[in-house]
Amino acid sequence: MAPKRGGKAPVPAKKKPVTNPLFEKRPKQFGIGGALPPKKDLHRFVKWPKVVRIQRQRRILKQRLKVPPALHQFTRTLDKNLATNLFKMLLKYRPEDKAAKKERLLKRAQAEAEGKTVEAKKPIVVKYGLNHVTYLIEQSKAQLVVIAHDVDPIELVVWLPALCRKMEVPYCIVKGKSRLGSIVHKKTASVLCLTTVKNEDKLEFSKILEAIKANFNDKFDEVRKKWGGGVMGSKSQAKTKARERLIAKEAAQRLT
């Protein structure tokens, strides 16, 4: 009989990989008393503190819900370069801390005890405290107002940009109440204010004021009409797009 054609070809034998006899393969045993299992990312399973959860929920809610313009304006903060220059200027006018005040009063008391006259010049420093800054704005003494973007509750400062605009006082919103607080030796500060600067700093201060006016005071009408939020999650966006595609497909079928 003739051999059958179209039969299966013989499978070539697999070559065994060449292994070095010096290095023996020892697979790990992850049972009880065995090797430690590899580390997993347990980030999703952590029970975070309540404060952290509230912060994250608030952030998501601000993205999902429609945010009115009065609140949305606090998301528009000063750009990094201008903020750096501004904080350099503010650091030059830090008020004295407790130790410096104690030393000054001690020297003054010693001078008075010796019968010398003490000349006390009023120092040029950054003003802080919401009520004090509000009074300075109303009296048109403030030259620049710096507001923190993360004041809680936000109702404390939500009206301040409108007051600055009415009194024609330059204002800006910067990131971090703790950053403002560090300038005046406090944990946090919601608002700071400059009433005047030294002669050597006037040129630099005028440049900062021009940039701040262009970014905030001059854009007030534009900002007070712009709503925020209304951004849904990735799943909701995907569902909405799928629904829109389906509606468009049905409309196309009706036309044909």
Side-chain angles (χ1 to χ4, degrees):
M1 287 179 71
K4 289 182 180 178
R5 290 183 181 179
K8 289 182 180 178
V11 179
K14 287 183 180 178
K15 288 182 180 179
K16 288 184 179 179
V18 179
T19 56
N20 193 333
L22 293 174
F23 300 103
E24 189 183 345
K25 192 177 180 183
R26 296 194 200 96
K28 286 186 178 181
Q29 301 293 328
F30 295 113
I32 295 168
L36 291 171
K39 287 185 178 180
K40 292 181 182 178
D41 184 14
L42 302 175
H43 186 270
R44 282 174 58 83
F45 307 104
V46 175
K47 188 174 182 182
W48 294 96
K50 196 173 182 181
V51 176
V52 175
R53 276 180 285 159
I54 288 169
Q55 282 174 351
R56 291 175 179 180
Q57 286 164 358
R58 186 188 289 142
R59 181 167 153 268
I60 295 298
L61 275 175
K62 280 181 179 176
Q63 287 177 358
R64 302 286 180 268
L65 302 176
K66 280 196 170 183
V67 181
L71 299 180
H72 183 59
Q73 66 180 333
F74 286 91
T75 59
R76 290 180 67 257
T77 54
L78 206 61
D79 65 273
K80 193 176 179 181
N81 293 332
L82 192 54
T84 306
N85 294 336
L86 174 63
F87 276 98
K88 279 180 185 174
M89 176 69 70
L90 291 173
L91 283 168
K92 290 181 182 178
Y93 298 96
R94 290 183 86 181
E96 61 184 2
D97 57 356
K98 285 183 180 178
K101 186 180 180 181
K102 189 178 178 181
E103 190 182 342
R104 178 175 60 82
L105 292 174
L106 193 65
K107 284 180 181 176
R108 184 177 167 184
Q110 286 172 353
E112 285 177 356
E114 290 169 6
K116 295 177 183 176
T117 54
V118 181
E119 289 183 11
K121 283 186 179 180
K122 198 174 182 182
I124 300 168
V125 292
V126 175
K127 310 293 182 184
Y128 64 98
L130 193 55
N131 290 342
H132 185 38
V133 170
T134 306
Y135 172 77
L136 292 171
I137 295 168
E138 287 171 347
Q139 298 296 314
S140 298
K141 290 180 181 177
Q143 289 192 11
L144 174 64
V145 177
V146 185
I147 308 164
H149 86 296
D150 56 346
V151 179
D152 188 37
I154 196 69
E155 287 83 6
L156 289 171
V157 293
V158 76
W159 45 271
L160 209 50
L163 179 65
C164 292
R165 164 78 174 171
K166 187 183 177 185
M167 300 304 293
E168 296 180 353
V169 175
Y171 76 94
C172 64
I173 296 164
V174 296
K175 281 189 177 179
K177 58 185 177 183
S178 57
R179 200 175 174 193
L180 292 185
S182 65
I183 288 168
V184 292
H185 310 291
K186 302 282 180 188
K187 281 184 182 178
T188 58
S190 55
V191 59
L192 300 182
C193 167
L194 271 173
T195 51
T196 184
V197 292
K198 293 172 185 173
N199 290 332
E200 61 263 26
D201 293 327
K202 280 188 176 177
L203 181 64
E204 190 184 345
F205 186 60
S206 63
K207 288 178 182 176
I208 291 170
L209 282 185
E210 281 176 23
I212 285 170
K213 275 184 183 177
N215 285 336
F216 288 91
N217 290 61
D218 298 344
K219 290 184 179 179
F220 186 79
D221 291 323
E222 178 193 327
V223 168
R224 71 188 182 89
K225 294 174 186 175
K226 194 171 183 181
W227 284 66
V231 179
M232 302 308 290
S234 57
K235 287 182 183 178
S236 296
Q237 285 180 9
K239 280 182 185 177
T240 309
K241 283 178 183 176
R243 201 178 295 122
E244 284 172 0
R245 283 197 296 269
L246 190 66
I247 291 165
K249 193 178 178 181
E250 286 175 358
Q253 283 175 354
R254 284 197 205 100
L255 291 170
T256 54

